[in-house]
Amino acid sequence: MTTLLTPSGEPETILTLDYGYMLVSTDPKEPVRLFGRNGSSAAEEFGIDDIPSLRAFVAPIMEAALKAGGRMQIIHFAPHEEGIREMKLVAGLRAMNLRGHHLVQIIPVPLDMPLDSDGQLSYDFEPFEATFASRFAVKH
């Protein structure tokens, strides 16, 4: 088990995890691929249990993505536990490998993003898109 650290040197948790997007396999033995952690343009791979509570966090998201049959969807993650942050995520199936395991892409989106399609059409995506793009810009 690898211990991932935050920029301040503390162990990474689902509460502190800052990322552009992640790819998680329906096979728990495959690594989680995390892109843009802490503003980096790099990709990292690690085990699902290397970040406390990550497995419990992604399980319902993956289940919803599989049930949606490939359609992207916005998921409002509002835990009932004290101290767990509320989040909104876009999730959807990204690919299926030769062994029949799916990759689910999870992208954090702003908490004020509307869940209804009419609200999303009028939502100002520019600040989010600029931040997302800057994480993956090639740095010279």
Side-chain angles (χ1 to χ4, degrees):
M1 185 164 149
T2 305
T3 301
L4 293 176
L5 301 176
T6 65
S8 63
E10 297 297 315
E12 192 78 82
T13 69
I14 194 61
L15 296 175
T16 59
L17 194 60
D18 176 31
Y19 61 96
Y21 68 95
M22 71 173 78
L23 292 175
V24 183
S25 175
T26 54
D27 179 359
K29 294 177 187 158
E30 289 188 27
V32 172
R33 291 166 188 88
L34 198 64
F35 299 84
R37 184 165 75 99
N38 299 323
S40 165
S41 61
E44 299 174 73
E45 288 187 354
F46 53 89
I48 190 90
D49 294 317
D50 289 348
I51 296 179
S53 303
L54 183 61
R55 183 185 298 263
F57 172 73
V58 301
I61 295 168
M62 291 176 66
E63 184 178 318
L66 292 170
K67 282 183 182 175
R71 291 187 321 260
M72 295 294 279
Q73 58 185 325
I74 295 179
I75 297 171
H76 187 190
F77 182 75
H80 298 290
E81 299 173 41
E82 189 68 32
I84 305 291
R85 75 178 183 198
E86 180 180 8
M87 295 180 249
K88 282 190 183 165
L89 312 148
V90 172
L93 296 179
R94 179 65 177 224
M96 183 168 56
N97 66 20
L98 296 174
R99 294 178 303 282
H101 300 292
H102 292 88
L103 284 178
V104 175
Q105 183 177 31
I106 301 171
I107 304 169
V109 294
L111 195 54
D112 66 346
M113 178 180 279
L115 293 174
D116 65 292
S117 56
D118 289 339
Q120 291 167 18
L121 289 174
S122 63
Y123 185 78
D124 181 11
F125 280 95
E126 276 189 41
F128 169 72
E129 288 172 349
T131 301
F132 191 83
S134 72
R135 285 180 181 261
F136 305 104
V138 176
K139 295 178 172 72
H140 298 281

